[in-house]
Amino acid sequence: AQTVTQSQPEMSVQEAETVTLSCTYDTSESNYYLFWYKQPPSRQMILVIRQEAYKQQNATENRFSVNFQKAAKSFSLKISDSQLGDTAMYFCAFMKHFPGSQGNLIFGKGTKLSVKP
Amino acid sequence: NAGVMQNPRHLVRRRGQEARLRCSPMKGHSHVYWYRQLPEEGLKFMVYLQKENIIDESGMPKERFSAEFPKEGPSILRIQQVVRGDSAAYFCASSHGFDEQFFGPGTRLTVL
């Protein structure tokens, strides 16, 4: 069975600085997807970034980038130039690649990020 | 294009009552997933449905919980004889295929 571990329950960062959130996972699969979701106080789940395991290049989306280390089964999220609106819970998630997947996501317990002015 | 709709947003039930949670997927999406989020926890998969079929219900409790996605209308997650431990946020997500899942705003169920 796959598991996702986020070892940092809470983190804080000063506005405009950079912060990195950690995520490790355990799987015997070779093809899979990894995701970071953001859940602000509104509780809406928002996709931040996704990574296909077969791609060696790290995904980037504006101020968000990942450091994907497949051999180490590590998938960290870096947020550059942090903004107050980045304050939220951040969840790392895993999904097996189709075929062999029913498409359900496996989530970590989350990291609560606070951006301070 | 409207996103995933869930209603109600908040639902209060007394122990022993039934709770019905509704989810309308995004237009064109035929895959629906239900997840439960307990306080201070991540989301846990419950059930995956396509139109008129339950594909995977491995995350669903064996008793009191059921789900459907009829040919017409929204997907329904039904919880019979609710208990305090059912209090949680229930999220629905939809996708076109085995692709990005788009989440609804969730239903927060409180059992008194």
Side-chain angles (χ1 to χ4, degrees):
Chain A
Q2 288 77 28
T3 59
V4 177
T5 302
Q6 294 179 251
S7 58
Q8 306 151 315
E10 291 191 43
M11 293 191 73
S12 65
V13 63
Q14 291 295 131
E15 195 176 6
E17 293 191 345
T18 296
V19 64
T20 299
L21 308 183
S22 301
C23 173
T24 57
Y25 58 94
D26 188 24
T27 184
S28 58
E29 303 288 330
S30 57
N31 290 326
Y32 48 87
Y33 297 100
L34 294 163
F35 305 85
W36 278 98
Y37 280 87
K38 169 185 177 181
Q39 187 179 44
S42 67
R43 301 186 72 86
Q44 176 74 53
M45 293 291 287
I46 302 165
L47 179 64
V48 175
I49 200 165
R50 63 182 278 173
Q51 174 83 41
E52 288 89 347
Y54 66 86
K55 289 187 178 178
Q56 293 187 336
Q57 187 171 8
N58 289 323
T60 63
E61 285 288 341
N62 301 315
R63 298 182 295 108
F64 299 87
S65 61
V66 298
N67 183 3
F68 174 47
Q69 302 287 331
K70 191 172 183 180
K73 297 180 181 174
S74 171
F75 183 60
S76 60
L77 174 70
K78 185 170 85 170
I79 306 174
S80 304
D81 186 25
S82 297
Q83 300 176 359
L84 296 177
D86 295 333
T87 292
M89 284 290 288
Y90 286 82
F91 293 98
C92 180
F94 171 99
M95 184 174 79
K96 287 196 293 186
H97 191 275
F98 183 82
S101 169
Q102 299 287 27
N104 53 293
L105 292 161
I106 300 167
F107 286 88
K109 290 193 172 185
T111 296
K112 185 176 182 180
L113 177 67
S114 299
V115 180
K116 300 186 184 304
Chain B
N1 188 9
V4 179
M5 311 279 283
Q6 286 188 252
N7 67 79
R9 294 292 306 276
H10 299 276
L11 182 62
V12 179
R13 286 287 178 265
R14 296 191 180 280
R15 282 179 294 171
Q17 292 184 319
E18 178 179 286
R20 281 184 175 240
L21 288 62
R22 295 174 186 78
C23 169
S24 296
M26 285 181 69
K27 188 177 181 181
H29 285 188
S30 58
H31 297 229
V32 167
Y33 301 83
W34 285 94
Y35 295 86
R36 177 165 64 175
Q37 184 179 30
L38 296 170
E40 310 301 323
E41 295 280 327
L43 280 69
K44 294 279 173 62
F45 167 75
M46 298 181 76
V47 61
Y48 159 47
L49 309 102
Q50 295 183 20
K51 282 286 186 182
E52 301 185 275
N53 286 301
I54 297 174
I55 308 300
D56 181 0
E57 56 182 349
S58 59
M60 198 103 102
K62 298 294 182 210
E63 298 177 350
R64 304 188 296 107
F65 285 73
S66 62
E68 62 178 17
F69 188 17
K71 188 177 180 180
E72 302 290 338
S75 176
I76 307 283
L77 179 67
R78 182 183 177 203
I79 311 172
Q80 296 177 289
Q81 299 175 322
V82 296
V83 300
R84 288 229 174 99
D86 297 333
S87 294
Y90 292 83
F91 288 90
C92 167
S94 74
S95 66
H96 178 65
F98 295 105
D99 204 341
E100 178 182 346
Q101 293 180 23
F102 293 83
F103 282 82
T107 294
R108 184 173 292 188
L109 172 65
T110 301
V111 179
L112 301 178

